[in-house]
Amino acid sequence: HVALAPCIIGYAEIGATLAASDKDNTYAAWIEMYASEEYQNVADAEITQLDRLFEHRAGEGRFQALSKTFGQATQLEVAFWQMGLNVV
């Protein structure tokens, strides 16, 4: 769940932020999907699940390792998007 958080939760944040802008966007369909109430509910459920898992299975003793996993997953997401920019 920690490794998927940058994608699941991150896309919800990006979609909601871009949807709130008044600009026309080539990626309007992508933005609309990730800003949709349905996807926002998915992201909110993932946040709740992460909190629940941390409370019951992780604790402060695992925070460092989980934080490292989150950081690595975030860097992979960044590299994924950068790859697309590099092709242009």
Coordinates of all heavy atoms in Angstrom, one line a residue:
H1 N 0.8 -1.2 0.0 CA 0.0 0.0 0.0 C 0.9 1.3 0.0 O 0.5 2.2 -0.7 CB -1.0 0.0 1.2 CG -2.1 -1.0 1.0 ND1 -3.3 -0.6 0.4 CD2 -2.2 -2.2 1.4 CE1 -4.1 -1.6 0.4 NE2 -3.5 -2.7 1.0
V2 N 2.0 1.2 0.7 CA 2.9 2.4 0.8 C 3.5 2.6 -0.6 O 3.6 3.8 -1.0 CB 4.0 2.2 1.9 CG1 5.0 3.2 1.8 CG2 3.3 2.2 3.3
A3 N 3.9 1.6 -1.3 CA 4.5 1.7 -2.6 C 3.5 2.2 -3.6 O 3.9 2.8 -4.6 CB 5.1 0.4 -3.0
L4 N 2.2 1.9 -3.5 CA 1.2 2.4 -4.4 C 0.6 3.8 -4.1 O 0.0 4.4 -5.0 CB 0.0 1.4 -4.4 CG 0.3 0.0 -5.0 CD1 -0.9 -0.9 -4.8 CD2 0.7 0.1 -6.5
A5 N 0.9 4.3 -2.9 CA 0.4 5.5 -2.5 C 0.7 6.7 -3.4 O -0.1 7.5 -3.7 CB 0.8 5.9 -1.1
P6 N 2.0 6.8 -3.9 CA 2.3 7.9 -4.8 C 1.4 7.9 -6.1 O 1.1 9.0 -6.6 CB 3.7 7.7 -5.2 CG 4.3 7.0 -4.0 CD 3.2 6.0 -3.6
C7 N 1.1 6.8 -6.5 CA 0.2 6.7 -7.7 C -1.3 6.9 -7.3 O -1.9 7.8 -7.8 CB 0.4 5.3 -8.4 SG -0.7 5.1 -9.8
I8 N -1.8 6.1 -6.4 CA -3.2 6.2 -6.1 C -3.6 7.6 -5.5 O -4.5 8.3 -6.0 CB -3.6 5.1 -5.1 CG1 -3.4 3.7 -5.8 CG2 -5.1 5.3 -4.6 CD1 -3.6 2.6 -4.8
I9 N -2.9 8.0 -4.5 CA -3.2 9.3 -3.9 C -2.6 10.5 -4.7 O -3.3 11.5 -4.8 CB -2.6 9.3 -2.4 CG1 -3.3 8.1 -1.6 CG2 -2.9 10.6 -1.7 CD1 -2.6 7.8 -0.3
G10 N -1.4 10.3 -5.2 CA -0.8 11.4 -6.0 C -1.7 11.7 -7.2 O -1.9 12.9 -7.5
Y11 N -2.2 10.8 -7.9 CA -3.0 11.1 -9.1 C -4.3 11.8 -8.7 O -4.8 12.6 -9.4 CB -3.3 9.8 -9.9 CG -2.1 9.3 -10.7 CD1 -0.8 9.6 -10.4 CD2 -2.3 8.3 -11.7 CE1 0.3 9.1 -11.1 CE2 -1.3 7.8 -12.4 CZ 0.0 8.2 -12.1 OH 1.1 7.7 -12.9
A12 N -4.8 11.4 -7.6 CA -6.1 12.1 -7.1 C -5.8 13.5 -6.8 O -6.6 14.4 -7.2 CB -6.6 11.4 -5.9
E13 N -4.6 13.8 -6.2 CA -4.3 15.2 -5.9 C -4.0 16.0 -7.1 O -4.5 17.1 -7.3 CB -3.0 15.2 -5.0 CG -3.2 14.7 -3.6 CD -4.1 15.7 -2.8 OE1 -4.0 16.9 -2.9 OE2 -4.8 15.2 -1.9
I14 N -3.3 15.4 -8.1 CA -3.0 16.1 -9.3 C -4.2 16.3 -10.1 O -4.5 17.5 -10.6 CB -2.0 15.3 -10.2 CG1 -0.6 15.2 -9.4 CG2 -1.8 15.9 -11.6 CD1 0.3 14.2 -10.0
G15 N -5.1 15.3 -10.2 CA -6.3 15.5 -11.0 C -7.2 16.6 -10.4 O -7.8 17.4 -11.1
A16 N -7.4 16.6 -9.1 CA -8.2 17.6 -8.4 C -7.6 19.0 -8.6 O -8.4 19.9 -8.8 CB -8.4 17.3 -6.9
T17 N -6.3 19.1 -8.5 CA -5.7 20.4 -8.7 C -5.9 20.9 -10.1 O -6.2 22.1 -10.3 CB -4.2 20.3 -8.3 OG1 -4.1 19.9 -6.9 CG2 -3.5 21.7 -8.5
L18 N -5.6 20.1 -11.1 CA -5.7 20.5 -12.4 C -7.2 20.8 -12.8 O -7.5 21.7 -13.6 CB -5.1 19.4 -13.4 CG -3.6 19.3 -13.3 CD1 -3.2 18.1 -14.2 CD2 -2.9 20.6 -13.7
A19 N -8.1 20.0 -12.3 CA -9.5 20.2 -12.6 C -10.0 21.6 -12.0 O -10.9 22.2 -12.6 CB -10.4 19.1 -12.0
A20 N -9.4 22.0 -11.0 CA -9.8 23.3 -10.4 C -9.3 24.5 -11.2 O -9.8 25.6 -11.0 CB -9.3 23.4 -8.9
S21 N -8.3 24.3 -12.1 CA -7.8 25.4 -12.9 C -8.8 25.7 -14.0 O -9.6 24.8 -14.4 CB -6.4 25.1 -13.4 OG -6.5 24.1 -14.5
D22 N -8.8 26.9 -14.5 CA -9.7 27.3 -15.6 C -9.2 27.1 -16.9 O -9.8 27.5 -17.9 CB -10.0 28.8 -15.4 CG -10.9 29.1 -14.1 OD1 -11.6 28.2 -13.7 OD2 -10.7 30.2 -13.6
K23 N -8.0 26.4 -17.1 CA -7.4 26.2 -18.3 C -7.9 25.0 -19.1 O -8.3 24.0 -18.5 CB -5.9 26.0 -18.1 CG -5.2 27.2 -17.5 CD -3.7 26.9 -17.3 CE -3.1 28.1 -16.5 NZ -1.7 27.8 -16.2
D24 N -8.0 25.2 -20.4 CA -8.3 24.0 -21.3 C -7.0 23.2 -21.3 O -5.9 23.7 -21.2 CB -8.6 24.5 -22.7 CG -10.0 25.2 -22.8 OD1 -10.9 24.8 -22.0 OD2 -10.1 26.0 -23.7
N25 N -7.2 21.9 -21.3 CA -6.1 21.0 -21.2 C -6.2 19.8 -22.2 O -7.3 19.2 -22.3 CB -6.0 20.5 -19.8 CG -4.6 19.9 -19.5 OD1 -4.2 18.9 -20.2 ND2 -3.9 20.4 -18.5
T26 N -5.2 19.5 -22.9 CA -5.1 18.4 -23.8 C -5.5 17.1 -23.1 O -6.1 16.2 -23.7 CB -3.7 18.3 -24.4 OG1 -3.4 19.5 -25.0 CG2 -3.6 17.1 -25.4
Y27 N -5.2 17.0 -21.8 CA -5.4 15.8 -21.1 C -6.7 15.9 -20.2 O -6.8 15.3 -19.2 CB -4.2 15.5 -20.2 CG -2.9 15.4 -21.0 CD1 -2.1 16.4 -21.1 CD2 -2.7 14.2 -21.8 CE1 -0.9 16.4 -21.9 CE2 -1.6 14.1 -22.6 CZ -0.7 15.2 -22.6 OH 0.4 15.1 -23.4
A28 N -7.7 16.6 -20.7 CA -8.9 16.8 -20.0 C -9.6 15.5 -19.5 O -10.1 15.4 -18.4 CB -9.9 17.6 -20.8
A29 N -9.6 14.5 -20.4 CA -10.2 13.2 -20.0 C -9.5 12.5 -18.8 O -10.1 12.0 -17.9 CB -10.2 12.2 -21.2
W30 N -8.1 12.6 -18.9 CA -7.3 12.0 -17.8 C -7.6 12.8 -16.5 O -7.8 12.2 -15.4 CB -5.8 12.1 -18.1 CG -4.9 11.5 -17.2 CD1 -4.4 10.2 -17.2 CD2 -4.3 12.1 -16.0 NE1 -3.5 10.0 -16.1 CE2 -3.5 11.1 -15.4 CE3 -4.5 13.3 -15.4 CZ2 -2.8 11.4 -14.2 CZ3 -3.8 13.6 -14.2 CH2 -2.9 12.6 -13.6
I31 N -7.6 14.1 -16.6 CA -7.9 15.0 -15.4 C -9.3 14.7 -14.9 O -9.4 14.5 -13.7 CB -7.7 16.4 -15.8 CG1 -6.2 16.7 -16.1 CG2 -8.2 17.4 -14.7 CD1 -6.0 18.1 -16.8
E32 N -10.2 14.6 -15.7 CA -11.6 14.4 -15.3 C -11.7 13.0 -14.6 O -12.4 13.0 -13.5 CB -12.5 14.4 -16.5 CG -14.0 14.2 -16.2 CD -14.9 14.2 -17.5 OE1 -14.6 15.1 -18.3 OE2 -15.8 13.4 -17.6
M33 N -11.1 12.0 -15.1 CA -11.2 10.7 -14.4 C -10.6 10.8 -13.0 O -11.2 10.3 -12.0 CB -10.5 9.6 -15.2 CG -10.7 8.2 -14.6 SD -9.7 6.9 -15.2 CE -8.1 7.3 -14.4
Y34 N -9.3 11.3 -12.9 CA -8.7 11.4 -11.5 C -9.3 12.4 -10.6 O -9.1 12.3 -9.4 CB -7.2 11.5 -11.7 CG -6.5 10.3 -12.2 CD1 -6.1 10.1 -13.5 CD2 -6.4 9.1 -11.4 CE1 -5.5 9.0 -14.0 CE2 -5.9 8.0 -11.8 CZ -5.4 7.9 -13.1 OH -4.9 6.7 -13.6
A35 N -10.0 13.4 -11.1 CA -10.7 14.4 -10.3 C -12.1 13.9 -10.0 O -12.7 14.6 -9.1 CB -10.7 15.7 -11.0
S36 N -12.6 12.9 -10.6 CA -14.0 12.5 -10.4 C -14.2 12.1 -8.9 O -13.3 11.7 -8.2 CB -14.3 11.3 -11.3 OG -13.6 10.1 -10.8
E37 N -15.5 12.2 -8.5 CA -15.8 11.8 -7.2 C -15.5 10.3 -6.9 O -15.0 10.0 -5.9 CB -17.3 12.0 -7.0 CG -17.8 11.7 -5.6 CD -19.3 12.0 -5.4 OE1 -19.9 12.6 -6.2 OE2 -19.8 11.6 -4.3
E38 N -15.7 9.5 -7.9 CA -15.5 8.1 -7.8 C -14.0 7.8 -7.5 O -13.7 7.1 -6.6 CB -15.9 7.3 -9.1 CG -15.6 5.8 -9.0 CD -16.1 5.1 -10.3 OE1 -16.4 5.8 -11.3 OE2 -16.0 3.9 -10.3
Y39 N -13.1 8.4 -8.2 CA -11.7 8.2 -8.0 C -11.2 8.9 -6.7 O -10.4 8.3 -6.0 CB -10.8 8.7 -9.2 CG -9.4 8.2 -9.0 CD1 -9.0 6.9 -9.3 CD2 -8.4 8.9 -8.3 CE1 -7.8 6.4 -9.1 CE2 -7.1 8.4 -8.1 CZ -6.8 7.1 -8.5 OH -5.6 6.6 -8.2
Q40 N -11.8 10.0 -6.4 CA -11.4 10.7 -5.1 C -11.8 9.8 -4.0 O -11.1 9.7 -3.0 CB -12.1 12.0 -5.0 CG -11.6 13.1 -6.0 CD -10.1 13.4 -5.8 OE1 -9.7 13.7 -4.7 NE2 -9.3 13.4 -6.9
N41 N -12.9 9.1 -4.1 CA -13.3 8.1 -3.0 C -12.4 7.0 -2.9 O -12.1 6.5 -1.8 CB -14.8 7.6 -3.3 CG -15.8 8.7 -3.1 OD1 -15.6 9.6 -2.4 ND2 -17.0 8.5 -3.7
V42 N -11.8 6.5 -4.1 CA -10.8 5.5 -4.0 C -9.6 5.9 -3.3 O -9.0 5.2 -2.4 CB -10.4 5.0 -5.5 CG1 -9.2 4.2 -5.5 CG2 -11.6 4.3 -6.1
A43 N -9.1 7.1 -3.6 CA -7.9 7.7 -2.9 C -8.2 7.9 -1.4 O -7.3 7.6 -0.6 CB -7.5 9.0 -3.6
D44 N -9.4 8.4 -1.1 CA -9.7 8.6 0.3 C -9.7 7.2 1.1 O -9.2 7.1 2.2 CB -11.1 9.3 0.5 CG -11.0 10.7 0.1 OD1 -9.9 11.3 0.0 OD2 -12.1 11.3 -0.1
A45 N -10.2 6.2 0.4 CA -10.3 4.9 1.0 C -8.8 4.4 1.2 O -8.5 3.7 2.2 CB -11.1 3.9 0.2
E46 N -8.0 4.7 0.3 CA -6.6 4.2 0.4 C -5.9 4.9 1.5 O -5.1 4.3 2.3 CB -5.8 4.4 -0.9 CG -4.4 4.0 -0.9 CD -4.2 2.5 -0.7 OE1 -5.2 1.7 -0.8 OE2 -3.1 2.0 -0.3
I47 N -6.1 6.2 1.7 CA -5.6 7.0 2.8 C -6.1 6.3 4.2 O -5.3 6.1 5.1 CB -6.0 8.4 2.8 CG1 -5.2 9.1 1.6 CG2 -5.6 9.2 4.1 CD1 -5.8 10.5 1.2
T48 N -7.3 6.0 4.2 CA -7.9 5.4 5.4 C -7.2 4.1 5.7 O -6.9 3.7 6.8 CB -9.4 5.3 5.3 OG1 -10.0 6.6 5.1 CG2 -10.0 4.6 6.5
Q49 N -7.1 3.3 4.6 CA -6.4 2.0 4.7 C -5.0 2.1 5.2 O -4.5 1.3 6.0 CB -6.5 1.2 3.4 CG -5.8 -0.1 3.4 CD -6.5 -1.2 4.3 OE1 -7.5 -0.9 5.0 NE2 -6.1 -2.4 4.2
L50 N -4.2 3.0 4.6 CA -2.9 3.3 5.1 C -2.8 3.6 6.5 O -2.0 3.1 7.3 CB -2.2 4.4 4.2 CG -1.7 4.0 2.9 CD1 -1.3 5.2 2.1 CD2 -0.5 3.1 3.0
D51 N -3.7 4.5 7.0 CA -3.7 4.9 8.4 C -4.0 3.6 9.3 O -3.4 3.4 10.3 CB -4.7 6.0 8.7 CG -4.3 7.3 8.1 OD1 -3.1 7.5 7.8 OD2 -5.2 8.2 8.0
R52 N -5.0 2.8 8.8 CA -5.4 1.6 9.6 C -4.2 0.6 9.7 O -3.9 0.1 10.7 CB -6.6 1.0 8.9 CG -7.2 -0.1 9.7 CD -8.5 -0.7 9.1 NE -9.5 0.3 8.8 CZ -10.0 0.5 7.6 NH1 -9.6 -0.1 6.6 NH2 -10.9 1.5 7.5
L53 N -3.6 0.4 8.5 CA -2.5 -0.6 8.5 C -1.3 -0.1 9.4 O -0.7 -0.9 10.1 CB -2.0 -0.8 7.1 CG -2.9 -1.6 6.2 CD1 -2.4 -1.5 4.7 CD2 -3.0 -3.0 6.6
F54 N -1.0 1.2 9.3 CA 0.0 1.7 10.1 C -0.3 1.5 11.6 O 0.6 1.1 12.4 CB 0.3 3.2 9.8 CG 1.5 3.8 10.5 CD1 2.8 3.5 10.1 CD2 1.4 4.5 11.7 CE1 3.9 3.9 10.7 CE2 2.5 5.0 12.3 CZ 3.7 4.7 11.9
E55 N -1.5 1.8 12.0 CA -1.9 1.7 13.4 C -1.8 0.2 13.9 O -1.3 0.0 15.0 CB -3.3 2.2 13.6 CG -3.8 2.2 15.0 CD -5.2 2.7 15.1 OE1 -5.6 3.6 14.3 OE2 -6.0 2.2 16.0
H56 N -2.2 -0.7 13.0 CA -2.3 -2.1 13.5 C -1.1 -2.9 13.2 O -0.8 -4.0 13.8 CB -3.5 -2.8 12.9 CG -4.8 -2.2 13.4 ND1 -5.8 -1.6 12.6 CD2 -5.3 -2.2 14.7 CE1 -6.8 -1.2 13.4 NE2 -6.5 -1.6 14.6
R57 N -0.3 -2.6 12.2 CA 0.8 -3.5 11.7 C 2.2 -2.8 11.7 O 3.1 -3.5 11.6 CB 0.5 -4.0 10.4 CG -0.8 -4.9 10.4 CD -1.2 -5.4 9.1 NE -0.2 -6.4 8.6 CZ -0.1 -6.9 7.4 NH1 -0.9 -6.6 6.5 NH2 0.8 -7.8 7.1
A58 N 2.2 -1.5 11.7 CA 3.5 -0.9 11.5 C 4.1 -0.3 12.8 O 5.0 -0.8 13.3 CB 3.4 0.2 10.4
G59 N 3.5 0.8 13.2 CA 4.0 1.5 14.4 C 5.3 2.3 14.1 O 5.8 2.2 13.0
E60 N 5.8 3.0 15.0 CA 6.9 3.8 14.8 C 8.2 3.1 14.4 O 9.0 3.6 13.7 CB 7.2 4.7 16.1 CG 6.1 5.7 16.4 CD 5.9 6.7 15.2 OE1 6.9 7.1 14.6 OE2 4.7 7.0 15.0
G61 N 8.3 1.8 14.9 CA 9.4 1.0 14.6 C 9.6 0.7 13.1 O 10.7 0.5 12.6
R62 N 8.6 0.8 12.3 CA 8.7 0.5 10.9 C 8.6 1.8 10.0 O 8.7 1.7 8.8 CB 7.5 -0.4 10.5 CG 7.7 -1.8 11.0 CD 6.9 -2.9 10.3 NE 7.2 -2.9 8.9 CZ 6.3 -3.3 8.0 NH1 5.1 -3.7 8.3 NH2 6.6 -3.4 6.7
F63 N 8.4 2.9 10.7 CA 8.2 4.2 9.9 C 9.4 4.4 9.0 O 9.1 4.8 7.8 CB 8.0 5.3 10.9 CG 7.7 6.6 10.1 CD1 6.4 6.9 9.7 CD2 8.7 7.5 9.9 CE1 6.2 8.0 9.0 CE2 8.5 8.7 9.2 CZ 7.2 9.0 8.7
Q64 N 10.6 4.3 9.4 CA 11.8 4.6 8.6 C 11.8 3.8 7.3 O 12.0 4.3 6.2 CB 13.0 4.3 9.4 CG 14.3 4.8 8.7 CD 14.7 6.2 9.1 OE1 14.1 6.8 10.0 NE2 15.7 6.7 8.5
A65 N 11.5 2.4 7.5 CA 11.5 1.6 6.3 C 10.4 1.9 5.3 O 10.5 1.9 4.1 CB 11.5 0.1 6.7
L66 N 9.2 2.1 5.9 CA 8.0 2.5 5.1 C 8.2 3.8 4.4 O 7.9 4.0 3.2 CB 6.8 2.5 6.0 CG 6.3 1.2 6.5 CD1 5.2 1.3 7.5 CD2 5.9 0.2 5.4
S67 N 8.9 4.8 5.1 CA 9.1 6.0 4.5 C 10.1 5.9 3.3 O 10.0 6.5 2.2 CB 9.7 7.0 5.5 OG 10.0 8.2 5.0
K68 N 11.1 5.0 3.4 CA 12.0 4.8 2.4 C 11.3 4.1 1.2 O 11.6 4.5 0.0 CB 13.1 3.8 2.8 CG 14.2 3.5 1.8 CD 15.3 2.7 2.3 CE 16.3 2.4 1.2 NZ 17.4 1.5 1.7
T69 N 10.4 3.2 1.4 CA 9.6 2.6 0.3 C 8.8 3.6 -0.4 O 8.8 3.7 -1.6 CB 8.7 1.5 0.9 OG1 9.5 0.5 1.4 CG2 7.8 0.9 -0.2
F70 N 8.2 4.5 0.4 CA 7.3 5.6 -0.2 C 8.2 6.5 -1.1 O 7.9 6.8 -2.2 CB 6.6 6.4 0.9 CG 5.8 7.5 0.3 CD1 4.5 7.3 -0.1 CD2 6.3 8.8 0.3 CE1 3.8 8.3 -0.7 CE2 5.6 9.9 -0.2 CZ 4.3 9.6 -0.7
G71 N 9.4 6.9 -0.6 CA 10.3 7.7 -1.3 C 10.8 7.1 -2.6 O 10.8 7.7 -3.7
Q72 N 11.1 5.8 -2.6 CA 11.5 5.1 -3.8 C 10.4 5.0 -4.8 O 10.6 5.2 -6.0 CB 12.0 3.7 -3.4 CG 13.3 3.7 -2.7 CD 13.7 2.3 -2.2 OE1 12.9 1.5 -1.8 NE2 15.0 2.1 -2.1
A73 N 9.2 4.7 -4.3 CA 8.0 4.6 -5.2 C 7.7 6.0 -5.9 O 7.4 6.1 -7.0 CB 6.8 4.1 -4.5
T74 N 7.9 7.1 -5.1 CA 7.7 8.4 -5.6 C 8.7 8.7 -6.7 O 8.4 9.3 -7.8 CB 7.8 9.5 -4.5 OG1 6.8 9.2 -3.5 CG2 7.6 10.9 -5.0
Q75 N 10.0 8.3 -6.5 CA 11.0 8.6 -7.5 C 10.7 7.8 -8.8 O 10.9 8.3 -9.9 CB 12.4 8.2 -6.9 CG 12.9 9.2 -5.9 CD 12.9 10.6 -6.5 OE1 13.4 10.8 -7.5 NE2 12.4 11.5 -5.7
L76 N 10.1 6.6 -8.6 CA 9.8 5.8 -9.8 C 8.6 6.5 -10.6 O 8.6 6.5 -11.8 CB 9.4 4.4 -9.4 CG 10.5 3.5 -9.0 CD1 10.0 2.2 -8.4 CD2 11.5 3.2 -10.1
E77 N 7.7 7.1 -9.9 CA 6.6 7.8 -10.5 C 7.2 9.0 -11.3 O 6.8 9.3 -12.4 CB 5.5 8.3 -9.5 CG 4.5 7.2 -9.1 CD 3.7 6.8 -10.3 OE1 3.2 7.6 -11.1 OE2 3.4 5.6 -10.4
V78 N 8.1 9.7 -10.6 CA 8.7 10.9 -11.3 C 9.4 10.5 -12.5 O 9.3 11.1 -13.6 CB 9.7 11.6 -10.3 CG1 10.5 12.6 -11.0 CG2 8.9 12.2 -9.1
A79 N 10.2 9.4 -12.5 CA 10.9 8.9 -13.6 C 10.0 8.4 -14.7 O 10.3 8.7 -15.9 CB 11.8 7.7 -13.2
F80 N 8.8 7.9 -14.4 CA 7.9 7.5 -15.4 C 7.4 8.7 -16.2 O 7.4 8.7 -17.4 CB 6.7 6.8 -14.7 CG 5.5 6.6 -15.6 CD1 5.5 5.5 -16.5 CD2 4.4 7.4 -15.5 CE1 4.4 5.3 -17.3 CE2 3.3 7.2 -16.4 CZ 3.3 6.1 -17.3
W81 N 7.0 9.8 -15.5 CA 6.5 11.0 -16.2 C 7.7 11.7 -16.9 O 7.5 12.2 -18.0 CB 5.9 11.9 -15.2 CG 4.6 11.3 -14.7 CD1 4.3 10.7 -13.6 CD2 3.4 11.2 -15.5 NE1 3.0 10.3 -13.5 CE2 2.4 10.6 -14.7 CE3 3.0 11.7 -16.8 CZ2 1.1 10.4 -15.2 CZ3 1.7 11.4 -17.3 CH2 0.8 10.8 -16.5
Q82 N 8.9 11.6 -16.3 CA 10.0 12.3 -17.0 C 10.4 11.6 -18.3 O 10.7 12.2 -19.3 CB 11.3 12.3 -16.1 CG 12.4 13.1 -16.6 CD 12.1 14.6 -16.8 OE1 11.6 15.2 -15.9 NE2 12.3 15.1 -18.0
M83 N 10.2 10.2 -18.3 CA 10.5 9.5 -19.5 C 9.6 10.0 -20.7 O 10.1 10.1 -21.8 CB 10.2 8.0 -19.2 CG 10.4 7.1 -20.4 SD 10.1 5.3 -20.0 CE 8.4 5.4 -19.4
G84 N 8.3 10.3 -20.4 CA 7.5 10.8 -21.4 C 7.9 12.2 -21.9 O 7.8 12.5 -23.1
L85 N 8.4 13.0 -21.0 CA 8.9 14.3 -21.4 C 10.1 14.2 -22.2 O 10.4 15.0 -23.1 CB 9.1 15.2 -20.2 CG 7.9 15.6 -19.4 CD1 8.3 16.3 -18.1 CD2 7.0 16.5 -20.2
N86 N 11.0 13.2 -21.9 CA 12.2 13.1 -22.6 C 12.0 12.6 -24.1 O 12.9 12.9 -24.9 CB 13.1 12.1 -21.9 CG 13.6 12.6 -20.6 OD1 13.6 13.8 -20.3 ND2 14.2 11.7 -19.8
V87 N 10.9 12.0 -24.4 CA 10.7 11.5 -25.7 C 10.4 12.6 -26.7 O 10.7 12.6 -27.8 CB 9.5 10.5 -25.7 CG1 9.1 10.1 -27.1 CG2 9.9 9.2 -24.9
V88 N 9.8 13.7 -26.2 CA 9.3 14.8 -27.0 C 10.5 15.6 -27.5 O 11.5 15.8 -27.2 CB 8.4 15.7 -26.2 CG1 8.0 17.0 -27.0 CG2 7.2 15.0 -25.8

